[in-house]
Amino acid sequence: MSTTQRTRLQSAFKAALAAELAQAPLDRDSALRAAATACRAVLSERWAKTQAQDAKRGAKAKTRRVHYLSMEFLMGRALHNALAALGLTDTLAEALAPLGLQLSDVLEREPDAALGNGGLGRLAACFLDSFAELGLPSFGYGLRYQFGMFAQGITEGRQVERPDDWLRLGTPWEQPRPECRYTVRFGGRVVVEGGQRRWVGGEEVVAQAYDFIVPAHHSERVSTLRQWQASSVKPIDFEAFCRGDFEGANRHRVAAEALNWVLYPDDSTDAGRELRLKQEAFLVSATLQDLIARHLREFGSLQGLGRANAIHLNDTHPALAPAELMRLLLDEHGLGWDEAWAITRQAVSYTNHTLMPEALETWPLRMFEALLPRHLELIYEINQRFLDGVKAQVPGDTALLRRVSLIDEGPEHGGGERRVRMAALAVVASHRVNGVAQLHSDLCVQTIFAGYARLFPQRFHNVTNGVTPRRWLMQANPGFSALLDETLGEGWRTDLGELAKLKKKAGQAKLQKAFLAVKQANKDKLAARIRQELGLVVNPTSLFDVQIKRIHEYKRQLLNILHVIARYQAIVANPQADWVPRTVVIAGKAASAYHMAKLIIQLAHDVARVVNSDPRVGDKLKLAFLPNYGVSLAETIIPAADLSEQISTAGTEASGTGNMKFALNGACTIGTWDGANIEMAQHMGVDEMFVFGLRTEQVESIKALGYDPRLYVEENRQLKAVIDALGDGSFANGDTQRYRAIVDKLLQVDNYLLMADFADYVATQAKVDEAFRDRAAWAERALKNVAGMGWFSSDRTIAEYVERVWSVDSLA
């Protein structure tokens, strides 16, 4: 940006800011709204220019427009990102100073957009950032959740869920698009009219678009997150209203609006499952109608739709897309089957994010028949044509036919409810399917998708995840970013691969000292946050040992807590020993219906209560569980971490992106040989990571031989003492039953092999202690970690998707 352009932009911004502030009493909230509105005016201009450029691409363009469908987009706060992208951070700080306001205080007033929950949504947000940065014609598509998944509170150590009412004061970042309105149908029936099958009747809702603009940081390009809001086609039932039946008059409106209330409604009931399926169908239908309408405006016909547009499914939630696209092309636009299927296969691609069969969505046929009868017909037809092809390719292999069918007939044909396999639909309809780390992609073709990989091996490939350095280093850790500028120059800001130059400098004493100073400032900030939120005073010079992610048994927060107990017991037994002080920080939400995950949260609080109040321990060990984990909290925690816990059972974590964010900010990793940990270790040097635990093949071997977790407990005195303390009420005010479910599961089942990995985990934690004692050596190790992280930029990830999946050349 030239000096003239920057001056003009700053002047326009100041004028818009002044106009907004003139309309409301001055405080941090009005300053936030004014700054956001002023930024949005600039971003809207860039959005219009970007759309105009993309519309002129023409039929011969090599890059297709990407439509990225995801049930989650965990965007975080927008103002800081917008100011950084526009180069207006100092301008706003200068404008606020005479008003007696600090920029940092204003930034803190913005709520996180509650549009996602965990790694899936944060990955999607990183991708939108890279779409803009790389100038990729694109739209992200999601739902405009009013209350998020939930806001997590803690009462007496237990998780309590409440609505995350982030829109209660409105949001200045949204741009309503009243011209983008589409009708979505549920229920009804299929009829034949003039030889054409039509879906009629049932319930109709309107999808209204709201746009959230994501700016590039080194150009004027932007990306768009288009969110759908549902409303009823019909106004109130006036007759019912006049009769005094106010609830009945409004019932259909409530049913429509419920589609946007909550991310991932509790699916432990039929009503919850039905709402979730409707949400997915709503997202897919509105998105594909929008795509087709845009394509027709630009090209005039549906010819070439698949070559001009990529439809990417972020996990299995939007897997209904192939069936809906076929419905629209066949029923609404009159194409023949072969032409419609060719377009669908060209357009659709799919990323899988899990190896767990239970996480691959399936839906009962009865539910499909009730809500989506036309889609069920189309899925039957897709399945029949696909299976006919399999029979021709592999004659006589009926077992393979059963494994790859889109319809799960139930155990032994009738032992269970018949269901539609959504991942199977996504795989069969896609021209490319990928996992998100090399191990994950390899295991996909060896396990859950083995039958499909046998039929079309060329369809499967790997694209390892990445994170955007703009939010997760430049914004989250400005002190370290400035140090990198001083050490490497600013080239790393546009090419993260430049971080590799840090490896040769990692042994420099001056750099190590500066790095440790930046880290300490970040730790001081987190310690202050812990004291403010929990009333807990922690030693800011202690080793900050951090695990922040969704609470799930396979992510093994419980293993972390078992180590805290073991460490606590050892300190109490020998308080005068030369202990390395450690502060363990855990954060994350448990799904509202996930009893075991919620029990683990309660255990963390009970252990913290005992450990933190024991005078024999002092500041040698503290445990802090920070509630309501989200992007903004992560931006405070990650730069402060010394040790990153990435301890999933080998073969269960698809990739992880938290592991990348921690390492990028100079935390060392203790982790299993799982997900992207493996590739991180290979890039930074395996010796720079604290690797422990069974490998994937060892996990499989132990389970095949008959795993008995009790043997590990009986053979390890330290582990037995930990399990006994859980069972005898030592951490439950004497209540011996509170954690009986955890003890029984660990001793009798232990699906995720905590007992088998415990000894190596504890021994590796001792190696962490010894390494941390030598501060210079620790700094050198941490800097080498950072040096190896250049490859893990989401810019590289998106460039690989473009090359292999989203370019026209990838269709050849």
Side-chain angles (χ1 to χ4, degrees):
M1 184 185 297
S2 69
T3 303
T4 302
Q5 288 174 314
R6 185 175 298 280
T7 301
R8 187 182 302 121
L9 181 60
Q10 290 171 341
S11 298
F13 177 76
K14 288 179 178 178
L17 183 68
E20 290 296 324
L21 287 175
Q23 301 178 47
L26 177 64
D27 59 21
R28 289 175 297 174
D29 290 326
S30 62
L32 169 67
R33 290 192 298 272
T37 303
C39 283
R40 195 184 73 177
V42 179
L43 294 178
S44 294
E45 291 181 9
R46 294 190 175 187
W47 183 88
K49 291 178 182 178
T50 297
Q51 296 308 312
Q53 290 169 0
D54 292 349
K56 294 176 182 177
R57 291 175 303 123
K60 295 183 179 181
K62 289 293 186 181
T63 302
R64 300 190 288 166
R65 182 184 273 118
V66 175
H67 304 77
Y68 194 82
L69 278 68
S70 179
M71 289 295 283
E72 295 188 48
F73 287 90
L74 200 55
M75 303 304 297
R77 290 170 173 160
L79 180 57
H80 192 185
N81 186 56
L83 292 171
L86 297 172
L88 293 172
T89 304
D90 292 341
T91 303
L92 179 58
E94 292 168 4
L96 293 175
L99 304 176
L101 295 172
Q102 294 287 328
L103 176 59
S104 58
D105 292 337
V106 171
L107 295 176
E108 283 293 319
R109 298 299 296 171
E110 181 179 0
D112 280 24
L115 302 172
N117 171 46
L120 183 80
R122 188 51 234 171
L123 178 74
C126 284
F127 282 5
L128 288 179
D129 181 272
S130 287
F131 290 170
E133 194 70 9
L134 298 180
L136 182 67
S138 60
F139 278 84
Y141 282 100
L143 296 186
R144 183 178 179 264
Y145 301 107
Q146 186 173 354
F147 304 115
M149 189 167 88
F150 58 81
Q152 180 192 53
I154 302 295
T155 300
E156 296 182 349
R158 294 178 173 86
Q159 173 177 290
V160 224
E161 302 94 19
R162 60 179 184 270
D164 188 354
D165 195 7
W166 71 286
L167 286 171
R168 65 188 180 280
L169 299 177
T171 172
W173 295 107
E174 288 183 337
Q175 181 65 54
R177 302 293 180 193
E179 73 281 5
C180 292
R181 294 170 60 88
Y182 305 98
T183 301
V184 178
R185 186 185 308 277
F186 302 110
R189 64 192 189 282
V190 180
V191 299
V192 179
E193 297 176 354
Q196 184 80 20
R197 300 191 73 77
R198 298 288 183 192
W199 183 20
V200 299
E203 170 194 4
E204 290 184 329
V205 298
V206 171
Q208 165 71 57
Y210 288 79
D211 284 355
F212 180 98
I213 302 171
V214 181
H217 282 240
H218 298 96
S219 76
E220 294 193 2
R221 293 279 304 185
V222 300
S223 183
T224 307
L225 169 58
R226 179 155 290 178
Q227 305 163 74
W228 297 111
Q229 174 69 50
S231 61
S232 175
V233 169
K234 301 175 183 177
I236 62 170
D237 182 337
F238 198 71
E239 290 186 7
F241 183 84
C242 291
R243 292 196 306 269
D245 182 7
F246 305 138
E247 182 178 343
N250 196 47
R251 188 174 293 118
H252 57 290
R253 296 183 64 189
V254 172
E257 291 166 7
L259 290 170
N260 287 99
W261 282 351
V262 176
L263 166 68
Y264 302 146
D266 185 344
D267 59 2
S268 60
T269 65
D270 263 357
R273 286 187 287 272
E274 179 178 307
L275 179 57
R276 182 161 173 166
L277 178 57
K278 289 175 73 173
Q279 284 181 325
E280 294 176 0
F282 178 71
L283 165 64
V284 163
S285 182
T287 297
L288 295 181
Q289 289 183 68
D290 194 44
L291 181 158
I292 290 174
R294 184 184 305 108
H295 181 81
L296 289 174
R297 286 197 305 271
E298 293 181 3
F299 295 95
S301 76
L302 293 177
Q303 185 178 7
L305 184 145
R307 290 181 63 81
N309 300 279
I311 300 168
H312 197 85
L313 314 180
N314 187 30
D315 215 4
T316 315
H317 311 118
L320 189 65
E324 172 64 3
L325 183 56
M326 288 294 289
R327 183 191 72 81
L328 291 168
L329 295 177
L330 294 169
D331 298 359
E332 305 297 329
H333 296 278
L335 271 61
W337 182 278
D338 291 342
E339 185 181 5
W341 184 243
I343 288 172
T344 299
R345 283 290 322 284
Q346 280 186 328
V348 175
S349 52
Y350 164 53
T351 294
N352 170 269
H353 286 273
T354 182
L355 292 166
M356 300 182 185
E358 66 271 19
L360 299 176
E361 283 190 332
T362 63
W363 295 105
L365 262 61
R366 58 175 173 79
M367 193 173 289
F368 248 89
E369 194 166 25
L371 291 176
L372 304 165
R374 179 58 176 142
H375 297 80
L376 184 59
E377 288 186 346
L378 291 167
I379 289 169
Y380 279 144
E381 181 70 15
I382 293 169
N383 194 42
Q384 187 59 57
R385 290 171 180 254
F386 165 61
L387 293 180
D388 287 345
V390 175
K391 291 175 187 176
Q393 185 176 344
V394 190
D397 195 339
T398 55
L400 177 63
L401 290 174
R402 286 196 298 272
R403 289 197 302 273
V404 300
S405 173
L406 305 191
I407 308 299
D408 183 352
E409 302 289 347
E412 300 300 325
H413 302 286
E417 189 173 25
R418 300 177 73 211
R419 305 177 73 88
V420 180
R421 294 167 166 159
M422 301 307 292
L425 175 60
V427 170
V428 168
S430 294
H431 71 285
R432 296 290 268 168
V433 176
N434 70 280
V436 289
Q438 191 60 59
L439 175 64
H440 171 236
S441 295
D442 292 343
L443 290 174
C444 274
V445 301
Q446 295 166 17
T447 58
I448 55 174
F449 296 145
Y452 307 103
R454 175 184 171 189
L455 294 168
F456 21 75
Q458 73 287 349
R459 193 170 299 184
F460 293 86
H461 68 122
N462 174 64
V463 182
T464 298
N465 284 343
V467 300
T468 168
R470 288 161 289 279
R471 181 176 289 270
W472 293 110
L473 182 51
M474 299 173 201
Q475 292 173 49
N477 203 342
F480 188 38
S481 297
L483 178 59
L484 290 173
D485 288 343
E486 180 184 329
T487 307
L488 304 175
E490 297 187 7
W492 67 272
R493 291 179 178 265
T494 51
D495 177 7
L496 202 63
E498 291 285 301
L499 292 180
K501 297 176 181 178
L502 201 60
K503 186 172 184 179
K504 292 182 179 179
K505 299 176 181 289
Q508 297 176 0
K510 181 180 178 182
L511 176 60
Q512 293 168 3
K513 185 177 179 180
F515 167 77
L516 291 174
V518 169
K519 179 65 72 172
Q520 190 57 59
N522 292 331
K523 292 170 70 172
D524 290 342
K525 181 180 177 182
L526 177 56
R529 175 107 182 223
I530 292 171
R531 183 169 187 171
Q532 178 185 1
E533 293 204 12
L534 304 180
L536 175 66
V537 177
V538 303
N539 178 0
T541 66
S542 64
L543 187 157
F544 277 25
D545 173 355
V546 180
Q547 186 177 23
I548 50 174
K549 52 185 75 229
R550 177 169 53 94
I551 308 296
H552 196 289
E553 288 170 274
Y554 88 83
K555 294 180 183 289
R556 301 206 294 191
Q557 286 91 352
L558 181 55
L559 181 61
N560 189 353
I561 297 169
L562 296 182
H563 170 248
V564 172
I565 295 173
R567 194 177 189 88
Y568 167 70
Q569 291 175 332
I571 292 172
V572 169
N574 188 10
Q576 302 308 316
D578 184 20
W579 293 98
V580 173
R582 185 179 292 227
T583 298
V584 178
V585 177
I586 300 176
K589 295 178 181 179
S592 58
Y594 193 171
H595 172 72
M596 184 56 68
K598 295 174 83 169
L599 195 59
I600 290 169
I601 290 176
Q602 185 178 1
L603 175 62
H605 283 85
D606 274 345
V607 171
R609 173 178 48 78
V610 172
V611 171
N612 297 343
S613 62
D614 194 325
R616 295 169 295 180
V617 176
D619 66 359
K620 300 181 186 71
L621 179 63
K622 298 291 184 185
L623 173 57
F625 187 102
L626 284 166
N628 206 31
Y629 174 58
V631 175
S632 298
L633 180 56
E635 289 176 328
T636 299
I637 294 175
I638 289 172
D642 294 307
L643 186 68
S644 162
E645 297 270 352
Q646 307 297 331
I647 59 177
S648 53
T649 311
T652 59
E653 183 67 80
S655 169
T657 54
N659 46 5
M660 302 170 191
K661 295 163 194 165
F662 278 109
L664 187 61
N665 282 272
C668 297
T669 301
I670 182 169
T672 48
W673 204 244
D674 195 27
N677 289 355
I678 299 170
E679 287 150 281
M680 285 171 53
Q682 291 166 345
H683 278 80
M684 68 179 60
V686 176
D687 291 341
E688 307 305 333
M689 184 181 286
F690 297 99
V691 180
F692 77 94
L694 299 167
R695 303 292 176 99
T696 303
E697 59 275 13
Q698 294 172 311
V699 170
E700 294 171 354
S701 176
I702 286 176
K703 288 185 175 180
L705 291 172
Y707 172 56
D708 185 353
R710 289 169 297 185
L711 295 178
Y712 292 87
V713 178
E714 292 166 2
E715 293 172 358
N716 187 323
R717 184 183 304 172
Q718 186 180 36
L719 177 55
K720 186 175 188 306
V722 171
I723 298 300
D724 287 347
L726 282 182
D728 67 16
S730 295
F731 296 98
N733 292 319
D735 183 352
T736 60
Q737 296 304 307
R738 184 178 301 176
Y739 297 114
R740 178 54 51 192
I742 289 179
V743 172
D744 289 347
K745 198 162 190 178
L746 289 176
L747 293 179
Q748 298 172 18
V749 183
D750 192 19
N751 292 319
Y752 299 107
L753 282 75
L754 280 72
M755 302 297 91
D757 272 350
F758 176 84
D760 196 16
Y761 179 53
V762 172
T764 305
Q765 291 283 17
K767 295 177 183 177
V768 171
D769 286 341
E770 287 308 306
F772 193 73
R773 290 181 190 277
D774 186 337
R775 306 301 292 124
W778 182 272
E780 182 175 1
R781 181 192 289 261
L783 288 166
K784 288 180 178 178
N785 276 233
V786 177
M789 293 308 295
W791 190 75
F792 295 92
S793 167
S794 53
D795 295 350
R796 185 271 312 159
T797 305
I798 295 306
E800 289 189 10
Y801 273 114
V802 170
E803 178 185 0
R804 299 186 212 154
V805 187
W806 298 336
S807 67
V808 172
D809 291 342
S810 71
L811 299 175

